[in-house]
Amino acid sequence: MNFNWHPDERPPIIDPHSKAKLDVLRNYLRAYFDRLNVNPSREEFKIDLVDGFAGGGTFRNDEKIVSGTPLIMLEEANAATDRLNENRTKPLRFDYKCYFIEKEATHADHLRKVLSERSYALDDGKIAVRNCLFEDEVEDILTAIKHRQPRAGRAIFLLDQTGFSQVKLTIVAEILRELPAAEVILTFAAEALTNYLANTPQMIAMVAPLELTKSQIQDLIQLKNGNAGRALVQRTLREQIRLVTGATYDTPFFIRPKESRRALWFLHLSKHPTARDVMIQVHWAIQNTFEHYGSGDFGMLGWDTLRDPGTVPLFNFNEMDQEIMRTQLLDTLPRELFSLASEEPVTIDAMRHRFANRTAARYSDLDSIVLQLFREGEIEILGANDRVRSASLQNLRAIDRIVMPKQTRIFFDDLRRDSK
Ligand SMILES: C[S@@+](CC[C@H](N)C(=O)[O-])C[C@H]1O[C@@H](n2cnc3c(N)ncnc32)[C@H](O)[C@@H]1O
């Protein structure tokens, strides 16, 4: 893919996987703005949007001009202002600030040009276009966000690098540490990295931004050459990224470009569960563009399938996968719930967070399986004041608690004893 912009030339042609990425970003921003503004009495919503690898702002798709990531951020923020105010008596002030950072002067100039053609003011304090390196600018941006939003610090950082080593993971860690409510969307050429893995000084230098040591690289090379190697390498990379960045939640699904067949991750990293659930809902809504190795239940990214390394299935977020995921969850969730709630009741909220990184299920999918298990008498649900909830229960509340019935405990205790 050619990412070259010049203010006197036509923008580059977009390829299908970049289009898929833009669709997810647009849908994510829309869903996220809606989700955080459900309270009709809210008067103000502040957010900072940072595009750290902004590019030139537009692409060509056949003869049509389509918006790149900086324009998508602005379009969705403005559309949200109108949409969220539609049926309100009290108006909502949607107060956003955008930072667009681009290292190439000609790209930044192209971006400024397309912004002014669309009548965006570059001097009203809402939009900053900076021609510099993201890594040189990030400290200033973090300080400015903390100053503008001392309490909430709500921000989305899009780091749309080419390849896998332009973004230092310690910078992502700094963002999530300084602004715990922020989230980071990182593109990461996971399969290119898997293909190039080699124990050479060049490779070791190249993966330094990922904080991978020489011996970790050696381990990855060995994994890659074994059965189900790619899935294992990617599982290890995913864990490494989560560990170094300190993200509590991640969605590691990848886009597979048709031409190169080299999967590219569009990785969403955050410390708060709502953001993760909104992103996973977007993956389900835009089916068939994103996929991952393994099954949809607790076998995500080959988690369990790898115990039986044969052919690792690909999960695609389509209807069939949803059916299979439900059946698998019905089968595996009781055991998972038992290990979670065998000692004491566990809230629905804690259950969702505990399973979030291990399954492709939305919280609503997990809830519906829990409800089914409840109706079938496999588990009990307690509401406020420890009262057992009625069998006709339709919706779970985050504070409801799951309790394992006595006979289930005995059954699992027996199983445990037998397996010793
Ligand atoms: C993949 S393109 C961005 C495309 C854009 N996000 C879109 O889809 O509309 C990556 C851009 O990041 C720029 N870039 C590369 N390294 C950078 C860095 N360290 N800081 C800021 N920009 C950088 C490149 O010049 C290029 O324009």
Side-chain angles (χ1 to χ4, degrees):
M1 169 88 194
N2 143 32
F3 288 113
N4 278 320
W5 287 269
H6 190 286
D8 301 332
E9 289 167 15
R10 296 204 296 165
I13 294 173
I14 194 163
D15 67 22
H17 85 277
S18 292
K19 250 197 299 188
K21 186 175 68 183
L22 297 180
D23 275 354
V24 172
L25 177 70
R26 189 182 285 286
N27 282 283
Y28 179 67
L29 293 174
R30 199 171 291 171
Y32 179 88
F33 294 152
D34 285 356
R35 178 79 159 263
L36 290 189
N37 288 290
V38 282
N39 180 356
S41 58
R42 178 174 214 149
E43 288 176 10
E44 186 182 68
F45 177 73
K46 271 193 177 181
I47 184 146
D48 286 56
L49 302 166
V50 184
D51 194 342
F53 292 67
T58 50
F59 293 96
R60 254 184 309 147
N61 184 24
D62 297 326
E63 280 315 301
K64 263 180 45 204
I65 300 293
V66 292
S67 301
T69 53
L71 286 186
I72 288 177
M73 285 180 167
L74 285 168
E75 286 159 7
E76 287 308 316
N78 288 327
T81 312
D82 297 341
R83 187 174 62 250
L84 294 167
N85 273 306
E86 247 164 32
N87 297 316
R88 276 182 180 248
T89 35
K90 251 194 210 162
L92 171 76
R93 206 168 83 82
F94 194 101
D95 176 3
Y96 66 84
K97 160 120 198 183
C98 290
Y99 297 86
F100 301 142
I101 314 302
E102 170 53 54
K103 86 167 181 187
E104 297 294 339
T106 55
H107 299 189
D109 286 345
H110 189 277
L111 176 57
R112 289 195 187 97
K113 185 181 102 174
V114 298
L115 287 170
S116 65
E117 281 168 358
R118 285 157 183 75
S119 307
Y120 289 111
L122 291 177
D123 49 10
D124 67 354
K126 273 175 105 106
I127 305 174
V129 179
R130 295 190 188 151
N131 174 209
C132 52
L133 295 174
F134 173 68
E135 50 275 35
D136 292 346
E137 203 61 17
V138 65
E139 301 274 348
D140 276 3
I141 296 177
L142 289 172
T143 308
I145 296 175
K146 282 193 277 186
H147 184 71
R148 207 176 89 84
Q149 298 188 62
R151 265 187 340 126
R154 198 175 292 114
I156 298 178
F157 284 74
L158 173 69
L159 305 180
D160 186 18
Q161 63 180 338
T162 29
F164 49 82
S165 58
Q166 290 176 330
V167 175
K168 269 192 179 163
L169 293 185
T170 47
I171 291 188
V172 177
E174 186 185 352
I175 295 171
L176 295 178
R177 194 172 51 242
E178 294 293 314
L179 298 171
E183 52 204 88
V184 175
I185 302 174
L186 174 70
T187 40
F188 187 85
E191 233 163 58
L193 173 53
T194 315
N195 288 348
Y196 299 144
L197 271 176
N199 196 358
T200 59
Q202 294 89 324
M203 186 75 198
I204 292 163
M206 210 192 226
V207 294
L210 311 179
E211 304 283 306
L212 282 172
T213 61
K214 216 170 152 182
S215 74
Q216 278 176 305
I217 296 172
Q218 195 54 48
D219 290 348
L220 287 174
I221 294 171
Q222 270 176 7
L223 286 178
K224 176 183 153 182
N225 297 332
N227 276 340
R230 281 174 181 274
L232 260 179
V233 170
Q234 292 186 12
R235 182 174 97 176
T236 311
L237 284 176
R238 177 190 178 197
E239 277 164 9
Q240 173 74 0
I241 295 173
R242 216 169 45 216
L243 195 79
V244 178
T245 60
T248 319
Y249 301 101
D250 66 343
T251 56
F253 304 106
F254 51 72
I255 319 170
R256 191 178 288 282
K258 282 209 171 58
E259 334 75 73
S260 74
R261 305 295 300 159
R262 268 197 215 142
L264 187 81
W265 274 346
F266 196 57
L267 202 61
H268 177 253
L269 301 161
S270 73
K271 284 196 163 167
H272 56 111
T274 311
R276 179 267 173 198
D277 201 40
V278 174
M279 185 51 109
I280 208 111
Q281 286 179 25
V282 170
H283 285 309
W284 279 104
I286 307 179
Q287 297 170 353
N288 274 335
T289 351
F290 278 75
E291 41 186 39
H292 69 76
Y293 287 117
S295 58
D297 68 339
F298 300 106
M300 189 167 78
L301 267 184
W303 212 280
D304 278 341
T305 0
L306 295 172
R307 286 201 204 125
D308 173 24
T311 44
V312 183
L314 267 177
F315 184 88
N316 276 303
F317 291 97
N318 55 29
E319 263 169 49
M320 203 170 86
D321 281 342
Q322 177 162 7
E323 256 330 288
I324 297 171
M325 180 184 80
R326 278 188 61 86
T327 315
Q328 287 167 337
L329 280 173
L330 263 176
D331 200 35
T332 46
L333 202 61
R335 200 175 277 272
E336 295 285 341
L337 285 178
F338 178 74
S339 62
L340 198 61
S342 61
E343 304 294 331
E344 51 186 33
V346 63
T347 62
I348 294 296
D349 204 34
M351 178 275 297
R352 292 172 183 160
H353 300 179
R354 180 67 177 263
F355 296 149
N357 284 330
R358 297 180 49 204
T359 162
R362 293 156 285 204
Y363 294 155
S364 56
D365 297 313
L366 288 172
D367 286 7
S368 92
I369 304 289
V370 166
L371 273 173
Q372 186 165 340
L373 294 171
F374 169 60
R375 286 191 203 107
E376 290 168 3
E378 299 259 0
I379 56 172
E380 282 166 11
I381 308 277
L382 300 182
N385 306 328
D386 281 349
R387 250 192 249 131
V388 178
R389 302 213 58 189
S390 107
S392 58
L393 178 65
Q394 292 298 323
N395 289 308
L396 292 168
R397 292 173 306 201
I399 51 160
D400 286 342
R401 287 176 307 147
I402 300 169
V403 186
M404 302 312 290
K406 265 211 185 72
Q407 61 273 35
T408 315
R409 279 183 242 165
I410 294 165
F411 171 71
F412 275 100
D413 282 348
D414 284 349
L415 262 186
R416 258 208 301 240
R417 250 197 316 278
D418 290 350
S419 66
K420 274 186 188 158

